[in-house]
Amino acid sequence: NAGVTQTPKFQVLKTGQSMTLQCAQDMNHNSMYWYRQDPGMGLRLIYYSASEGTTDKGEVPNGYNVSRLNKREFSLRLESAAPSQTSVYFCASNRDTSYNSPLHFGNGTRLTVT
Amino acid sequence: AQSVTQPDIHITVSEGASLELRCNYSYGATPYLFWYVQSPGQGLQLLLKYFSGDTLVQGIKGFEAEFKRSQSSFNLRKPSVHWSDAAEYFCATPSRGKLIFGQGTELSVKP
């Protein structure tokens, strides 16, 4: 029972490099999310996808793009990484965006940009 | 927009002692409120949620939380802490359809 799977677990990038963080869920959830976690800031929503085929900006979307590839997969792309994007990134999913639907989180990707 | 604040960044308690983690919300109507826990190296897991009705909510792992409108609070409690409860705890509330998290409280447990 995998739940939400994120790859890679760790990544180091140089400033200006690009990369894509992958996320897949096997719970047939409609909605998927990308958060970043920084010390003292809690989790901040980057982008989300309420359903397959839709994506919307969250609190901190600048410097990121997303793709909802299909119902299972939601990727996050950094086109030109910056040191300010050093963070732990979490993917999450839920049945839908209603408040009754708890979020299920992956184990995170720790990204360092030098 | 709704928001939540966790005033304590870090709390240390002795194993077996009681625990209370604070969460304050800002919203006029009855809010939806959640507590999540994050163990080291893991994602977040839902502990409990409050939507309406009984103001004392029971969750998993022996946790409970009480909604107090007069104090705009939704504090998390546990009568007797175990070493395995050492983790980071997040209060959360929906805002404009998305879940917004507090800054988190890191709990350390002394033997």
Side-chain angles (χ1 to χ4, degrees):
Chain A
N1 194 6
V4 179
T5 303
Q6 291 183 236
T7 55
K9 288 185 170 54
F10 301 93
Q11 183 71 51
V12 178
L13 292 177
K14 292 188 186 326
T15 297
Q17 287 185 316
S18 63
M19 80 159 294
T20 300
L21 281 64
Q22 307 287 353
C23 174
Q25 51 90 9
D26 62 1
M27 296 171 283
N28 201 35
H29 284 166
N30 291 303
S31 303
M32 298 184 74
Y33 308 78
W34 277 106
Y35 286 89
R36 60 177 289 174
Q37 183 179 25
D38 303 289
M41 307 285 284
L43 278 82
R44 292 180 292 168
L45 183 64
I46 305 171
Y47 271 93
Y48 69 104
S49 170
S51 60
E52 187 179 357
T54 70
T55 59
D56 286 287
K57 295 178 181 179
E59 302 168 74
V60 289
N62 292 345
Y64 305 95
N65 285 301
V66 290
S67 295
R68 183 75 183 266
L69 304 169
N70 48 55
K71 191 170 185 179
R72 289 187 64 248
E73 298 172 288
F74 187 40
S75 62
L76 178 72
R77 182 159 178 84
L78 287 70
E79 290 290 353
S80 179
S84 61
Q85 295 177 304
T86 293
S87 186
V88 182
Y89 291 85
F90 287 97
C91 178
S93 71
N94 59 2
R95 184 187 68 232
D96 52 52
T97 56
S98 72
Y99 305 147
N100 238 327
S101 181
L103 286 173
H104 296 256
F105 283 83
N107 287 336
T109 295
R110 185 174 295 275
L111 174 67
T112 302
V113 183
T114 60
Chain B
Q2 299 93 304
S3 66
V4 287
T5 302
Q6 295 177 248
D8 304 306
I9 295 172
H10 188 232
I11 283 183
T12 299
V13 299
S14 297
E15 192 167 14
S18 63
L19 170 69
E20 183 167 27
L21 301 181
R22 296 186 290 164
C23 173
N24 298 111
Y25 67 88
S26 65
Y27 187 60
T30 299
Y32 298 99
L33 293 161
F34 304 81
W35 275 101
Y36 281 81
V37 61
Q38 182 182 28
S39 298
Q42 305 290 313
L44 280 70
Q45 180 185 19
L46 179 66
L47 279 176
L48 49 81
K49 59 186 178 184
Y50 172 77
F51 289 167
S52 64
D54 193 348
T55 57
L56 186 62
V57 180
Q58 301 298 321
I60 63 171
K61 305 186 181 194
F63 285 91
E64 66 179 26
E66 186 170 12
F67 174 72
K68 292 186 177 179
R69 183 186 298 281
S70 61
Q71 298 176 18
S72 297
S73 69
F74 186 58
N75 294 348
L76 183 71
R77 303 195 297 242
K78 187 169 185 179
S80 178
V81 169
H82 188 263
W83 64 266
S84 60
D85 294 324
E88 191 155 18
Y89 293 80
F90 293 92
C91 184
T93 190
S95 177
R96 298 178 186 148
K98 285 88 69 179
L99 203 59
I100 302 299
F101 291 85
Q103 301 90 326
T105 298
E106 185 177 353
L107 173 66
S108 297
V109 180
K110 288 190 301 186

